Amino acid sequence: MTGNTPYNPDPHAHPGLAAIALLEAGKAILAFLAAAGLEISGPGPLRNIINTLILRIGGDPEHGSFSSLLGLITPDTVHIGATVLVAYGLLRTLEAWGLWRAKAWASWLGCISAALYLPLDIYAIVKHPGWAAWLLLAVNVLVVWVLARDIGKRRRH
């Protein structure tokens, strides 16, 4: 859009917002599936996964802080984890709905939340450089750019 062109509130006029809405909806679905998986499987499989990771990094799961970590994985902590995942999924669903309808508050929510991931993305590149880390950074930078641009257009009109 140029100069004095008014902001078009029609969601169809913002394909970038729709694409980000689909991305956020996908995150929500994954969060809900993870929460369901935690609730269905319980603490046993999670303990096994963490035990395997501890062994892979050369730790001793039977002694020290790693054994304390494994001891924290109880049915109650699994419920808390599932609840956090459901809350995250609901937030992503709300954002997706708002972006799909080109709501200004959703652009703000998405821009801020994607920007919060950028330092973690950079850390991931430093610690584990590879195409996946770079792709994740590129996607998050693109999301921030599209949403910040949308916010800027709204503020001018």
Side-chain angles (χ1 to χ4, degrees):
M1 291 189 178
T2 59
N4 294 332
T5 306
Y7 184 82
N8 184 350
D10 180 15
H12 295 90
H14 307 281
L17 297 184
I20 296 168
L22 293 173
L23 177 68
E24 296 305 322
K27 288 183 198 176
I29 290 168
L30 289 175
F32 293 139
L33 289 173
L38 272 176
E39 284 296 332
I40 290 168
S41 65
L46 185 58
R47 268 196 216 110
N48 290 339
I49 291 168
I50 292 177
N51 192 47
T52 301
L53 290 172
I54 291 168
L55 291 171
R56 182 168 285 182
I57 64 170
D60 181 3
E62 302 297 323
H63 300 91
S65 58
F66 287 127
S67 110
S68 298
L69 173 67
L70 287 170
L72 292 174
I73 302 171
T74 66
D76 288 340
T77 57
V78 166
H79 294 317
I80 291 169
T83 301
V84 168
L85 284 167
V86 167
Y88 179 80
L90 290 172
L91 179 65
R92 296 296 124 205
T93 300
L94 179 67
E95 181 185 343
W97 180 87
L99 289 172
W100 191 259
R101 286 167 174 71
K103 302 292 185 186
W105 58 263
S107 291
W108 277 101
L109 175 62
C111 189
I112 292 167
S113 65
L116 290 173
Y117 288 122
L118 295 178
L120 299 173
D121 295 340
I122 293 167
Y123 178 79
I125 288 170
V126 169
K127 287 297 188 182
H128 306 285
W131 68 268
W134 282 101
L135 178 63
L136 194 58
L137 175 64
V139 167
N140 280 330
V141 166
L142 180 62
V143 166
V144 169
W145 179 76
V146 168
L147 295 176
R149 192 167 163 246
D150 182 66
I151 292 165
K153 287 178 184 178
R154 290 174 192 269
R155 295 193 119 209
R156 284 196 303 263
H157 303 304

